[in-house]
């Protein structure tokens, strides 16, 4: 009897924008354990996004100019296990909505995902949605849900990589990172040095690839 062995193809190093920004926010041995966790998750194709209904409600409030009605209602329809999470997110998200100005002056804009390459590392750039103001300005919005505020490093990485591919994501828009729990919008600092950020991220990407390969 002929016995054939099935050899699995090696997993190509890959990261989402969320995964990569969480990686750059870590130091020392925690970087290796984090990348190892991402690799195992990729291999098992596991993962669940508990924020899906929340994002839909927020987008509905923008699209229908309802100023927070859908956010208030989603807390009652989400599964009970996620209700405390949603209750902690709604106040800040509602405050952010109100900070945009009159609901009728803001519309939802369609964004597209893009694939960024940092050296040999592909990174999926995926804003949650876009918004367009009555004066023509547009923003590509990435939401931060964590209990801790986004660090300066994670914020710079997310905004820089999104801006780098804005022609594909939402042409002529500005990238923003919204800290949902606190209702705060983060933008690229005026004194940011893109070349220095690019060099820093390239080094982080090379280290990510090395850790990923070592975890094989």
């Amino acid at each position: 009897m002929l016995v054939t062995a099935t050899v699995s193809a090696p997993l190509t190093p890959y990261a989402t924008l969320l995964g990569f920004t969480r990686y750059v926010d870590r130091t020392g041995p925690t970087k290796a354990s984090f990348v190892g966790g991402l690799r195992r998750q990729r291999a098992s194709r596991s993962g669940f996004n508990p924020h899906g209904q929340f994002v839909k409600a927020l987008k509905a409030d923008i699209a229908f100019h309802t100023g927070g009605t859908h956010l208030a209602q989603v807390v009652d329809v989400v599964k009970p296990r996620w209700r405390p999470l949603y209750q902690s997110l709604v106040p800040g998200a509602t405050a952010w909505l109100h900070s945009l100005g009159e609901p009728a002056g803001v519309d939802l804009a369609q964004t597209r995902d893009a694939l960024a390459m940092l050296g040999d590392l592909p990174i999926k750039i995926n804003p949650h949605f876009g918004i367009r103001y009555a004066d023509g300005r547009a923003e590509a919005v990435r939401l931060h849900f964590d209990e801790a505020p986004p660090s300066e490093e994670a914020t710079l990485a997310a905004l820089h990589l999104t801006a780098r591919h804005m022609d594909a994501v939402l042409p002529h828009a500005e990238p923003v990172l919204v800290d949902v729990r606190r209702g705060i919008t983060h933008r690229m600092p005026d004194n940011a040095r893109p070349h220095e950020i690019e060099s820093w991220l390239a080094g982080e990407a090379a280290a990510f690839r090395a850790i990923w390969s070592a975890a094989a």
Side-chain angles (χ1 to χ4, degrees):
M1 181 176 67
L2 179 64
V3 178
T4 59
T6 301
V7 180
S8 298
L11 289 175
T12 304
Y14 167 84
T16 62
L17 185 62
L18 176 61
F20 187 70
T21 54
R22 283 180 169 171
Y23 161 77
V24 301
D25 208 17
R26 283 164 168 76
T27 58
T30 60
K31 282 183 178 288
S33 59
F34 181 75
V35 174
L38 288 180
R39 198 182 192 285
R40 289 191 296 273
Q41 186 181 73
R42 171 100 175 277
S44 64
R45 297 182 180 180
S46 62
F48 172 71
N49 175 18
H51 304 113
Q53 285 179 266
F54 184 89
V55 175
K56 287 181 180 179
L58 182 54
K59 290 170 67 174
D61 273 321
I62 296 170
F64 299 112
H65 314 294
T66 42
T69 302
H70 290 84
L71 281 175
Q73 293 172 346
V74 75
V75 174
D76 296 325
V77 299
V78 72
K79 290 183 178 179
R81 66 175 297 192
W82 301 118
R83 200 160 291 156
L85 170 65
Y86 279 41
Q87 288 171 337
S88 69
L89 295 173
V90 165
T94 304
W96 174 74
L97 267 182
H98 294 166
S99 76
L100 302 179
E102 286 298 321
V106 185
D107 286 303
L108 199 64
Q110 177 67 48
T111 58
R112 293 179 173 82
D113 293 348
L115 193 65
M117 294 299 297
L118 272 175
D120 296 328
L121 178 66
I123 300 175
K124 184 180 181 182
I125 309 300
N126 50 347
H128 286 93
F129 53 83
I131 54 177
R132 195 176 302 279
Y133 296 90
D135 62 7
R137 291 180 298 117
E139 295 174 348
V141 179
R142 178 79 199 170
L143 302 174
H144 175 88
F145 294 105
D146 295 352
E147 288 187 26
S151 69
E152 181 181 352
E153 291 80 8
T155 299
L156 282 175
L159 295 177
H160 175 83
L161 289 172
T162 304
R164 192 178 186 243
H165 295 273
M166 195 58 77
D167 285 348
V169 171
L170 182 60
H172 312 297
E174 177 188 4
V176 298
L177 180 67
V178 176
D179 182 353
V180 177
R181 291 175 185 263
R182 284 152 284 272
I184 297 173
T185 300
H186 295 272
R187 306 174 189 277
M188 187 65 78
D190 293 335
N191 62 349
R193 295 184 172 93
H195 292 298
E196 292 183 5
I197 298 173
E198 186 74 19
S199 177
W200 160 58
L201 292 179
E204 293 283 1
F208 184 104
R209 277 189 61 91
I211 296 170
W212 183 285
S213 299

